[in-house]
Amino acid sequence: MSGNGLVGSDRVLAVLSELAGRPDGIGLDEMARVMTSPKPTVHRALAALRRAGFAVQDGHGRYLLGDEFLRLAFAHHEARPDHVRVQPILQALSARYGETAHYATLDGASVVYRSKIDPPTGAVRLTSVVGGRNPAHTTAVGKLLLSAALPTEASVRAWLGTRTLSAPTDRSLTTAEQLHAELVRTRERGYGIDDQENEAGVNCLAVPAYLTSSTAPSGAVSISALAYRTPLEKLAADVPAIRAIVAGHS
């Protein structure tokens, strides 16, 4: 980033932005070269950031982002509702595949849709609506989240209790044994699938979304597609790209 033409607060912000891309730190000389500004000018900007706690200097004289800046950034991130933070992810996925993208969380035997983005053209009517529910065992998002919550067949049976598993289509899982086997496959794959199990003619693939924690998923992001237009095999082959989109916007 060039510092030419930057003055006052603009220069301070430009230096802060450069620090954000330097996790190992940067020295004053190098920062001045990058900013194409005189060292005294850059030093004043760094001093202002240090006074605010937004920059620190290590024992080798290199400058890094300060804890106060990180505290504010993470506090802001944590305070934003999931459905707000996930919007860019859903928009990117919907635009890439021309299909509907969802963000959902698990609530007992159901998934709750917190956010949904339809493609600009070619959208189809689905049973999912924001705030609505679908059975966890018939949805990609539900099976993905259940796979983390129910690690054994005994836990699947305890979760099921005296309930019976509904069958919206003839492909739906209807027994504890079938669901347990699918959850095992889901854990092995690292993503959930719905092969026309919730709606005939519609398949879905879901990956975890880490919006509030780096270790425990807050929910799952999915792409729901017309099976003839975007086959499940195509989505499965593209999982690395899907994960990259989710990680890049989280």
Side-chain angles (χ1 to χ4, degrees), residues 4 9 29 198:
N4 290 336
S9 60
D29 289 346
N198 195 58

PDB file of all heavy atoms in Angstrom, residues 4 9 29 198:
ATOM      1  N   ASN A   4       1.718   7.592  -0.543  1.00  0.00           N
ATOM      2  CA  ASN A   4       1.696   8.865  -1.258  1.00  0.00           C
ATOM      3  C   ASN A   4       0.325   9.510  -1.182  1.00  0.00           C
ATOM      4  O   ASN A   4      -0.687   8.882  -1.474  1.00  0.00           O
ATOM      5  CB  ASN A   4       2.079   8.658  -2.725  1.00  0.00           C
ATOM      6  CG  ASN A   4       3.551   8.314  -2.886  1.00  0.00           C
ATOM      7  OD1 ASN A   4       4.358   8.649  -2.029  1.00  0.00           O
ATOM      8  ND2 ASN A   4       3.898   7.649  -3.980  1.00  0.00           N
ATOM      9  N   SER A   9      -5.020  11.061   9.727  1.00  0.00           N
ATOM     10  CA  SER A   9      -5.682   9.815  10.103  1.00  0.00           C
ATOM     11  C   SER A   9      -5.676   8.799   8.967  1.00  0.00           C
ATOM     12  O   SER A   9      -5.641   7.590   9.215  1.00  0.00           O
ATOM     13  CB  SER A   9      -7.118  10.101  10.539  1.00  0.00           C
ATOM     14  OG  SER A   9      -7.858  10.702   9.501  1.00  0.00           O
ATOM     15  N   ASP A  29      11.896   0.544   9.017  1.00  0.00           N
ATOM     16  CA  ASP A  29      12.465   0.782   7.693  1.00  0.00           C
ATOM     17  C   ASP A  29      11.612   0.149   6.610  1.00  0.00           C
ATOM     18  O   ASP A  29      11.316   0.776   5.577  1.00  0.00           O
ATOM     19  CB  ASP A  29      13.887   0.233   7.619  1.00  0.00           C
ATOM     20  CG  ASP A  29      14.876   1.051   8.431  1.00  0.00           C
ATOM     21  OD1 ASP A  29      14.516   2.184   8.820  1.00  0.00           O
ATOM     22  OD2 ASP A  29      15.989   0.554   8.682  1.00  0.00           O
ATOM     23  N   ASN A 198     -35.506 -34.904   1.667  1.00  0.00           N
ATOM     24  CA  ASN A 198     -36.442 -33.966   2.283  1.00  0.00           C
ATOM     25  C   ASN A 198     -37.474 -33.446   1.295  1.00  0.00           C
ATOM     26  O   ASN A 198     -38.631 -33.217   1.651  1.00  0.00           O
ATOM     27  CB  ASN A 198     -35.681 -32.781   2.894  1.00  0.00           C
ATOM     28  CG  ASN A 198     -36.528 -31.975   3.851  1.00  0.00           C
ATOM     29  OD1 ASN A 198     -37.045 -32.507   4.842  1.00  0.00           O
ATOM     30  ND2 ASN A 198     -36.696 -30.693   3.565  1.00  0.00           N
TER      31      ASN A 198
END
